[in-house]
Each structure stands twice: as C-alpha cells, then as structure tokens.
Amino acid sequence: MLTLRAPCLLVLVLLAIPAHPQASNPPTTEEAQTLLNAGHLEEALKALDTLALQQPEPAGVERLRGMAFYEQGKIQLAATAFERALAQDPSDREAMQMQGVVLFRSGKPAAAIPLLEQAHLSIPRTNIDSNYVLGLCYLDTRRYDDARKAFATQYNFPPDSPSAYLLAARMMLRRDYLPVADTFAQKALALNPNLPMAHLLIGQIRLSQSKLSEAVAEFGKESELNPLYGEVYDRLGDAYLRQGDYARSQESLDRALLLEPNSSVPYILLGKVLLKQQDPLMAKMYLDKALAIDPGNYTTHTLLGQTYRSLGQAAQASHEFQVAEQIQADAQPKLETPK
C-alpha cells in the first residue's frame, strides 16, 4: 500500500507547485489613450513608457506622451515629445498642431505658424482651435490682415466684412496693439456705420489711451445704438470715474447693475466711486456683492482692504491685502526650467 501512496503523494506535490507565471500583457496605445481621456495622466505616462521600450516603438506613443505632458502644464517636455512624434511620422497632423501650440506658448510664434498652417486642425479634447492660435501668432508677428482672416474663419465671417475687422480689432485690443486695433475698428465702422459694439470697442481703446472725453463720446454713441447692453454703462461709469465725475459715474453704474446684475464689474466700480466719496460703509456693501459673484478677483480684495482700513479694521484690511497678493502671485505664469 505504501508503494502505491508514494506516487500519489508525488503527483499531489507536483500539482501544488505553481506553473511558471506568464508575463502580463503589455499595455496598448488604445489603453494609454483611454487613460489619457479619463484624466489619469500619470498612469497613461507609465503605460507609454512601457510601450516606448518596444522595438519599433508603436505609432502614436510620442504624440500621446506629448498630450499628457501638455495637460500637466509641462510645456518643454511636451515639445520634445511632439518633436519626436513628427520625426517618426511627419504627416501626424495632431502632433504638428500641438507642436505649433507649444511653440506659440513658448514665445516662438514665427516658428509655430508653418506648423499651424499645415495642420489646420481642431482638437476637441484640448479645446484648441487652430485658427485662433494661428491668428494670435499672426498678430505677434505683425501679420495683421492674416490675423483678421484667421479669426474670421474661426467665426465663419467673410474675411473682408465689418464683423471680421471688428473681431480682429477686439483681439488686438486684448494684446494691447492699440493703434492697429483702432485702425481696424474704424474700418469696421466705415463699412457699417451702425455696427453694434464698434463704438464700444473704440471707446475702450480711448480709455486705454487715457483719452477720457473721447471715450465718453464713443460710449455715448454705443448706448444710442445698443441701449440695453450693460457693459456700455459700466465702461461709461469707469470713464466718468477717471474724470472725477462721481455723480455721473454712479448714475451709469446703477444702470449697468439693472441690466447686468450678475456681473461683478459694476459692483467693483461702485465700490471705487464710494471710496472716492469717503463712504466706506456703502462701498463695502457693493464690494461684498462683487466678492460673492467672483471670489477670486484681485481688485475686489484690494478695494476691500482699503475699505476696512478706512473703517479702522486693521486685521480685516491686512487679511484682504494678503489674499489679493496671493491671487496676484498665483496668476503669474510659471516658467518651467528646461531639463
């Protein structure tokens, strides 16, 4: 009996020994893409690192790596990855587009333009429209008419239309190209003297140039053409405030509030007016309302600090100034150190 049991025990022992474990299947680019789409950026990068060890490296790995780095805000690493992706596949339009975007964000608009022109692609995931970025590149390289056409394409405007000129002027104002913005806005008005928003934009340009009387005149013209647009009145209130005409400023800002009760701008400006009029209690009421609408506004916290100081509440004033400083610090662009 013993001789019969020994082989049986041996079989049981052998069966208990685990077979040589099989290596887990390596990730696929599709799985890495799924991780990226889900926002699991570190996991996606780990999967891509594994894929990059394969020879040859699977198509799309470097592009996906670039997208992950881009979404992490690591612009230099993203640029390197997109450059590799294009070296592997010069026809990869998405990598081409994103390389153009990172070049623009790195302060190299001239280098970005050929890539963006060739790619001509919108990438829904990143909410990037190539015409918009291309238009900004044209602006920064002083190719103003090309910028107008790019922005017009984004909005499906005819490139030589009044709307196209006004849109380009607005983009120029945002980037402080004031003289050329004025030229384009005037061209828009010449093509259509009743074009809504044109006088408003020219007024904003005049306000930026501290030409206050001209700004007031332009805002007044806009209010005649567009009487129910609240921004006209808060801009008019701002112009009167800078002129020191506090009564007219308050009147205009009250009108803005009635039309745009959910905008923080007129509340902030009314706070400024009331501080100028030595009425910190009323100023605080409007500034508290502005803060409730937009808690992260640097100007609101600064004005609240001034208000509390006027009220003799030093601790609250100090707190508001500290919050304002932190907001301003957080808003400063963070430059990545190249590795």
Side-chain angles (χ1 to χ4, degrees):
M1 296 295 293
L2 291 174
T3 57
L4 292 175
R5 289 178 181 174
C8 293
L9 289 172
L10 179 60
V11 170
L12 291 174
V13 171
L14 291 174
L15 289 174
I17 298 175
H20 182 71
Q22 295 181 351
S24 59
N25 293 328
T28 64
T29 52
E30 290 76 12
E31 290 168 345
Q33 179 75 71
T34 300
L35 288 168
L36 185 61
N37 292 342
H40 303 308
L41 304 181
E42 287 298 336
E43 292 88 339
L45 284 168
K46 289 177 182 177
L48 292 166
D49 287 342
T50 301
L51 285 165
L53 297 175
Q54 298 180 17
Q55 294 297 328
E57 183 178 279
V61 167
E62 294 302 327
R63 171 168 38 81
L64 292 175
R65 195 200 303 273
M67 293 297 298
F69 284 137
Y70 181 84
E71 294 193 24
Q72 288 182 329
K74 299 176 180 178
I75 300 303
Q76 295 295 332
L77 293 175
T80 300
F82 291 131
E83 187 176 354
R84 288 175 182 164
L86 286 174
Q88 292 172 355
D89 180 6
S91 65
D92 187 336
R93 291 174 63 212
E94 190 169 351
M96 192 182 304
Q97 169 86 355
M98 291 305 301
Q99 180 70 334
V101 170
V102 297
L103 284 170
F104 168 70
R105 289 190 57 182
S106 301
K108 301 174 182 177
I113 286 173
L115 292 165
L116 294 169
E117 288 177 333
Q118 189 175 351
H120 198 67
L121 183 71
S122 293
I123 304 175
R125 173 173 173 74
T126 56
N127 198 30
I128 292 172
D129 187 293
S130 62
N131 291 302
Y132 175 68
V133 181
L134 183 57
L136 295 179
C137 289
Y138 284 141
L139 284 184
D140 291 348
T141 54
R142 308 300 189 264
R143 293 170 60 176
Y144 301 123
D145 284 320
D146 287 332
R148 167 174 53 84
K149 294 171 185 176
F151 294 135
T153 300
Q154 184 185 13
Y155 281 80
N156 294 322
F157 293 158
D160 296 322
S161 66
S163 298
Y165 276 97
L166 188 62
L167 174 61
R170 182 166 182 171
M171 297 300 183
M172 292 167 183
L173 175 60
R174 286 182 181 178
R175 299 181 79 79
D176 290 327
Y177 296 137
L178 299 185
V180 69
D182 184 56
T183 299
F184 274 53
Q186 296 289 356
K187 176 66 174 180
L189 268 179
L191 293 170
N192 181 359
N194 295 318
L195 182 65
M197 311 292 286
H199 286 291
L200 175 65
L201 187 60
I202 295 172
Q204 289 174 315
I205 294 170
R206 297 290 177 270
L207 201 60
S208 298
Q209 296 169 327
S210 296
K211 298 177 180 179
L212 301 180
S213 297
E214 294 179 29
V216 167
E218 292 296 334
F219 294 141
K221 292 175 185 177
E222 185 66 37
S223 68
E224 294 175 5
L225 290 171
N226 206 358
L228 297 183
Y229 188 58
E231 188 178 341
V232 176
Y233 299 102
D234 69 49
R235 293 299 88 207
L236 192 57
D238 191 10
Y240 282 134
L241 171 60
R242 299 188 196 194
Q243 284 184 324
D245 191 339
Y246 302 135
R248 285 188 178 179
S249 177
Q250 189 167 352
E251 179 183 61
S252 297
L253 293 169
D254 285 340
R255 292 174 179 173
L257 282 181
L258 292 175
L259 293 171
E260 299 290 345
N262 296 319
S263 169
S264 64
V265 174
Y267 292 102
I268 293 171
L269 290 171
L270 276 167
K272 282 186 178 182
V273 170
L274 290 161
L275 280 174
K276 292 288 187 181
Q277 294 176 318
Q278 306 300 315
D279 191 348
L281 280 175
M282 284 296 292
K284 181 179 180 301
M285 183 185 75
Y286 285 108
L287 292 170
D288 283 341
K289 180 63 176 177
L291 191 64
I293 295 171
D294 183 8
N297 190 293
Y298 160 81
T299 301
T300 304
H301 286 284
T302 300
L303 290 171
L304 273 172
Q306 296 172 7
T307 301
Y308 281 122
R309 187 167 57 193
S310 296
L311 293 169
Q313 300 178 28
Q316 292 92 329
S318 177
H319 171 74
E320 292 298 334
F321 288 135
Q322 288 175 7
V323 172
E325 289 176 5
Q326 187 60 54
I327 291 172
Q328 192 174 41
D330 291 343
Q332 294 299 317
K334 305 296 189 296
L335 298 178
E336 183 183 354
T337 304
K339 297 180 180 179

